[in-house]
C-alpha cells in the first residue's frame, strides 16, 4: 500500500501566506472570517463589484447573508460597492430581514 504524504501545518501556512491578498480576502469573506478580511485589506485587497466564492454574491452580500454586521461595516469602510449590474446588497439585506444592515447600507 502506498503511503500518502502528510502535509505539514507549516506548508499549509506557507501556501496561505503566499496567496495574493485578493484571494485571501475572497476566502475570508466566504468563510465569514473578519480577521482574515482585515488582514487581506491591510495587504492591499479591494472589495469589488464581482461575484466571489463560486456563488452569485459579492463580498458585501456574503457578509449580509452571514449577518455579520462588523464585516458589513468594514467592507463599507473599504468602499465595497453596494450594487452592480447583477445584484444589489440592499435587496439581499431586506430579504435577510436584517434591519440594522439595511440602515447601514442606506446611511
Amino acid at each position: 500500500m502506498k503511503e500518502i504524504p502528510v502535509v505539514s501545518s507549516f506548508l499549509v501556512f506557507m501556501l496561505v501566506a503566499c496567496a495574493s491578498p485578493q484571494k485571501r480576502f475572497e476566502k475570508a469573506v466566504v468563510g465569514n472570517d473578519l480577521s482574515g478580511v482585515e488582514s487581506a485589506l491591510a495587504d492591499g485587497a479591494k472589495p469589488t463589484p464581482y461575484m466571489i466564492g463560486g456563488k452569485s454574491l459579492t463580498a458585501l452580500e456574503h457578509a449580509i447573508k452571514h449577518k455579520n454586521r462588523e464585516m458589513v461595516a468594514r467592507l463599507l469602510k473599504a468602499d465595497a460597492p453596494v450594487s452592480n449590474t447583477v445584484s444589489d446588497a440592499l435587496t439581499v439585506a431586506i430579504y435577510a430581514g436584517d434591519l440594522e444592515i439595511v440602515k447601514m447600507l442606506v446611511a
Side-chain angles (χ1 to χ4, degrees), residues 3-19:
E3 281 190 44
I4 299 172
V6 177
V7 177
S8 72
S9 58
F10 176 74
L11 180 57
V12 171
F13 170 78
M14 291 305 293
L15 289 172
V16 171
C18 293

Side-chain angles (χ1 to χ4, degrees), residues 22-102:
Q22 197 65 34
K23 289 292 180 193
R24 289 188 294 114
F25 170 77
E26 291 176 8
K27 183 176 180 171
V29 167
V30 171
N32 197 28
D33 174 11
L34 180 60
S35 63
V37 166
E38 291 280 0
S39 173
L41 289 171
D43 289 343
K46 302 278 185 229
T48 69
Y50 305 110
M51 308 306 173
I52 63 171
K55 300 187 178 174
S56 299
L57 299 172
T58 64
L60 187 56
E61 292 165 350
H62 274 285
I64 292 167
K65 284 282 197 178
H66 289 296
K67 295 189 177 195
N68 188 334
R69 294 177 183 158
E70 289 179 275
M71 189 178 296
V72 169
R74 183 60 185 98
L75 292 171
L76 289 172
K77 184 178 176 186
D79 296 324
V82 176
S83 65
N84 63 28
T85 59
V86 177
S87 65
D88 180 345
L90 182 58
T91 302
V92 173
I94 291 168
Y95 278 113
D98 195 319
L99 183 58
E100 290 304 313
I101 290 179
V102 169

